Amino acid sequence: MRKSLLMLVFVAGSAMAQDLDRAAEQLAAARAAPLVTQAVPGDWSLAKAYRVQRKFYELRHGATPPLGYKAGLTTGPSQLQFAVMAPVAGLLPPQSAIPSQGGFWRIDPNDFQAGRMELELGFRFAEPIRKPIDDPLRLKALVAEVLPVVELPDLNFQHGAAPGGMDLVAANVAAHKVILGSSRLPSTLAINSLPVRLRRGDADTNAGTTLIEARATDALGDQWLALQWLVNQVLSQGWQIEPGQVLITGALGPVLPLEPGEYVADFGALGSLRFEVRSSR
């Protein structure tokens, strides 16, 4: 009897693993992401969603390490929107950093299906991270660089689909492109006091419309807490953190649609990023 029960559990587990791998294959093959919770009906968990995410990443990028890692849904309203109780994490694709053109970035909206803009802070470490970090002071000591980031996710789900948290995690939290600014030493900054602002208009003047005004503490209330959460979450999924990788800690202020125009993202003492969204076609 015991042997029969163990066999049933094994068969059910194997079938579920095959279903999850098939969901990842559908994500990797699709231009617009399907909802995995519809493709594989049943009880979903974050563990299953992260398994699909990993397989999805491997199908797209093989053994190439990610550019870095991202935290998502780091505010109460965003968690409520996607029906989750905690932040989520994703992988920045290897070639996701948009090259700078003399301190100016150009973004083609045709590279996105449903592009968005987010202001974030990024961190790089001075050494590889292999074990969870429980001491915030140790975390701060390991950070080598802080940099301003504009994340450009792509919520390219199938037309009319309303993704939930498990769908978002499985689809790699919509990671697509990022703008990475010049880095600073963390010791020179009061990181949690940094103001951030996004203005749309002529990048060479102060004219334009302010779209975002926020503070660094919008991500989980504390940048160091957000970074600690992201580090430990990444490690719990079996990934490793290398010195060259960038970890971004969640949106500061609202997430906006990627619309044509010139923009200036101001990060206070971290400097500003000037970019333009314009079609090349």
Side-chain angles (χ1 to χ4, degrees):
M1 181 68 174
R2 180 179 174 82
K3 185 175 181 180
S4 298
L5 288 174
L6 290 173
M7 182 59 71
L8 286 173
V9 171
F10 174 78
V11 170
S14 298
M16 175 56 71
Q18 291 174 0
D19 287 342
L20 296 179
D21 286 349
R22 185 166 62 252
E25 290 165 0
Q26 292 174 1
L27 279 172
R31 181 168 175 80
L35 300 185
V36 296
T37 53
Q38 293 182 5
V40 182
D43 293 333
W44 272 84
S45 65
L46 279 172
K48 292 177 182 178
Y50 278 117
R51 176 185 171 124
V52 174
Q53 180 191 103
R54 187 180 190 106
K55 182 69 174 180
F56 171 42
Y57 179 90
E58 290 171 348
L59 288 169
R60 283 278 179 91
H61 307 292
T64 305
L67 175 76
Y69 305 95
K70 60 169 286 186
L73 308 186
T74 53
T75 66
S78 63
Q79 291 170 18
L80 183 63
Q81 178 184 352
F82 285 92
V84 297
M85 301 295 290
V88 297
L91 314 164
L92 298 176
Q95 304 300 321
S96 56
I98 298 175
S100 168
Q101 300 181 26
F104 190 83
W105 287 263
R106 288 186 170 83
I107 300 155
D108 189 342
N110 296 306
D111 294 336
F112 300 76
Q113 297 298 306
R116 299 290 189 271
M117 300 184 291
E118 304 179 13
L119 303 186
E120 306 206 17
L121 295 184
F123 298 82
R124 291 192 181 101
F125 287 97
E127 60 185 64
I129 308 297
R130 299 289 184 263
K131 296 181 180 179
I133 297 177
D134 297 322
D135 183 354
L137 291 178
R138 179 170 175 266
L139 176 75
K140 292 181 181 181
L142 291 172
V143 171
E145 299 175 323
V146 183
L147 58 154
V149 178
V150 176
E151 191 198 358
L152 304 164
D154 193 2
L155 292 173
N156 62 332
F157 289 91
Q158 289 179 348
H159 180 69
M166 303 305 105
D167 302 298
L168 187 68
V169 169
N172 197 22
V173 198
H176 189 54
K177 297 290 184 181
V178 288
I179 295 173
L180 303 179
S182 299
S183 62
R184 294 277 300 276
L185 296 173
S187 60
T188 65
L189 301 166
I191 290 173
N192 274 325
S193 298
L194 285 173
V196 296
R197 182 174 70 157
L198 181 68
R199 189 176 73 252
R200 179 179 177 178
D202 186 348
D204 294 320
T205 71
N206 288 323
T209 302
T210 297
L211 304 176
I212 295 176
E213 281 191 295
R215 302 197 74 83
T217 49
D218 284 3
L220 288 184
D222 186 301
Q223 280 292 320
W224 297 113
L225 178 62
L227 181 60
Q228 182 181 16
W229 178 88
L230 180 57
V231 166
N232 292 341
Q233 177 64 26
V234 165
L235 295 176
S236 75
Q237 297 303 318
W239 297 97
Q240 296 182 342
I241 299 172
E242 304 295 343
Q245 292 177 316
V246 61
L247 284 78
I248 61 176
T249 49
L252 307 177
V255 177
L256 301 178
L258 186 68
E259 296 180 342
E262 292 189 13
Y263 298 87
V264 179
D266 187 347
F267 291 80
L270 264 180
S272 60
L273 304 176
R274 300 167 62 246
F275 62 98
E276 181 183 27
V277 180
R278 184 175 64 180
S279 175
S280 61
R281 301 176 188 173

